[in-house]
Amino acid sequence: MSVRKTYKLFIGGAFPRSESGRSYPVTRTEHAARASRKDARDAVVAARKAFPGWSGATAYNRGQILYRVAEMLEGRRAQFADELGGPRKQALEQVDAAVDRLVWYAGWSDKIAAVRGTANPVASPYLNLSSPEPVGVVAVVAPADPLLGLVSAVAPVIVTGNTCVVVAAERAPLPAITFAEVLATSDLPGGVVNILTGHQAELAPWLAAHMDVNGLDLTGVTTPEQALACERAATENFKRVLTAAEDRGTRRMTAFMETKTVWHPAGI
């Protein structure tokens, strides 16, 4: 007899139930928690608390942790393929692509600053140096592709030192839930990634308007009207907004980085 399951949220490294007690059906025997606005606020608090430690970690350490996530995900390859469904070969290929994507971004951890930073030529006796820094807490509306799309959105955000709150794919949340279990056992500090399951239309606008969210990835928003409403809400505290990007590329990393420039006397 199949055991009926109601999966939980992933907030601050723990797996709480939704404070509202709501859930919604995913399969005949499985339900996912339906996150509320209060859950979204709790997730932002957890992400903000984790930000100083995660952004202050060495780039090498962040890359090693992402590589460990890839190892753990590969170890649950069969489970992820089952949850993705469809033809077995295609599902396994999707899992392998997600593992490769994590490794690819892990490799960028100690290189993105060198690529995006620069020594600026100035007509004065000073050194003028620019380097990228993470913006802070990023809200991510994950694409409908429940695993590869999720990884492609989350990995570039956290490898650069940001923390995030993710709204998982509404219709296929199980891979995101299992991915949360992978994160919880991969040396990733609690609160760096927080995953909410539920209705996109209910959660995305509130995260877009949240004044302690610094960036917004809208690549998973399903309607132009909702995307526009979220963009307008994001202007209240000048959030950085990403509306479209390639699944793999530096654009996803630099979208949520700020450039800091310092001056230093030369020849002293």
Side-chain angles (χ1 to χ4, degrees):
M1 181 177 178
S2 298
V3 177
R4 295 182 179 274
K5 305 179 184 70
T6 299
Y7 296 99
K8 301 176 184 177
L9 309 172
F10 184 57
I11 299 175
F15 292 89
R17 294 179 174 84
S18 172
E19 61 85 27
S20 66
R22 299 177 302 171
S23 64
Y24 67 102
V26 178
T27 68
R28 188 172 59 86
T29 60
E30 296 171 308
H31 283 65
R34 181 177 168 184
S36 66
R37 287 179 289 174
K38 174 63 164 58
D39 296 318
R41 291 196 298 271
D42 290 345
V44 173
V45 170
R48 177 59 62 189
K49 184 177 179 180
F51 177 68
W54 183 245
S55 61
T58 64
Y60 177 80
N61 179 243
R62 290 197 297 268
Q64 287 295 98
I65 290 175
L66 255 71
Y67 192 86
R68 179 59 177 163
V69 173
E71 291 179 333
M72 298 294 289
L73 194 157
E74 188 174 43
R76 301 177 73 163
R77 184 170 180 258
Q79 180 183 358
F80 277 105
D82 289 341
E83 292 174 349
L84 288 172
R88 186 69 175 179
K89 183 176 182 293
Q90 292 181 13
L92 290 171
E93 288 173 350
Q94 285 288 299
V95 180
D96 292 341
V99 172
D100 290 346
R101 192 67 45 85
L102 281 165
V103 172
W104 193 85
Y105 276 115
W108 271 102
S109 63
D110 57 357
K111 301 174 182 66
I112 188 65
V115 171
R116 297 296 297 183
T118 181
N120 306 307
V122 292
S124 58
Y126 293 94
L127 295 176
N128 183 268
L129 306 173
S130 295
S131 62
E133 295 185 348
V135 298
V137 176
V138 178
V140 176
V141 182
D145 185 345
L147 180 60
L148 183 57
L150 174 71
V151 167
S152 298
V154 171
V157 168
I158 64 174
V159 75
T160 52
N162 296 292
T163 57
C164 65
V165 177
V166 184
V167 180
E170 183 176 331
R171 296 184 179 179
L174 293 189
I177 295 165
T178 303
F179 187 63
E181 295 174 358
V182 166
L183 296 175
T185 55
S186 301
D187 301 325
L188 187 77
V192 173
V193 177
N194 305 272
I195 297 179
L196 306 175
T197 54
H199 294 182
Q200 182 186 110
E202 181 178 1
L203 298 171
W206 289 98
L207 289 170
H210 198 297
M211 297 302 287
D212 203 27
V213 172
N214 308 106
L216 187 63
D217 183 341
L218 296 176
T219 54
V221 172
T222 54
T223 65
E225 295 79 12
Q226 188 178 61
L228 180 59
C230 287
E231 287 187 75
R232 286 174 173 168
T235 63
E236 291 297 322
N237 70 333
F238 301 101
K239 291 179 180 66
R240 282 178 169 264
V241 178
L242 179 68
T243 56
E246 296 178 0
D247 284 344
R248 187 176 71 178
T250 58
R251 168 63 177 151
R252 280 190 175 273
M253 290 183 283
T254 58
F256 301 112
M257 301 185 81
E258 297 282 2
T259 299
K260 182 176 183 179
T261 300
V262 296
W263 294 74
H264 190 279
I268 296 178

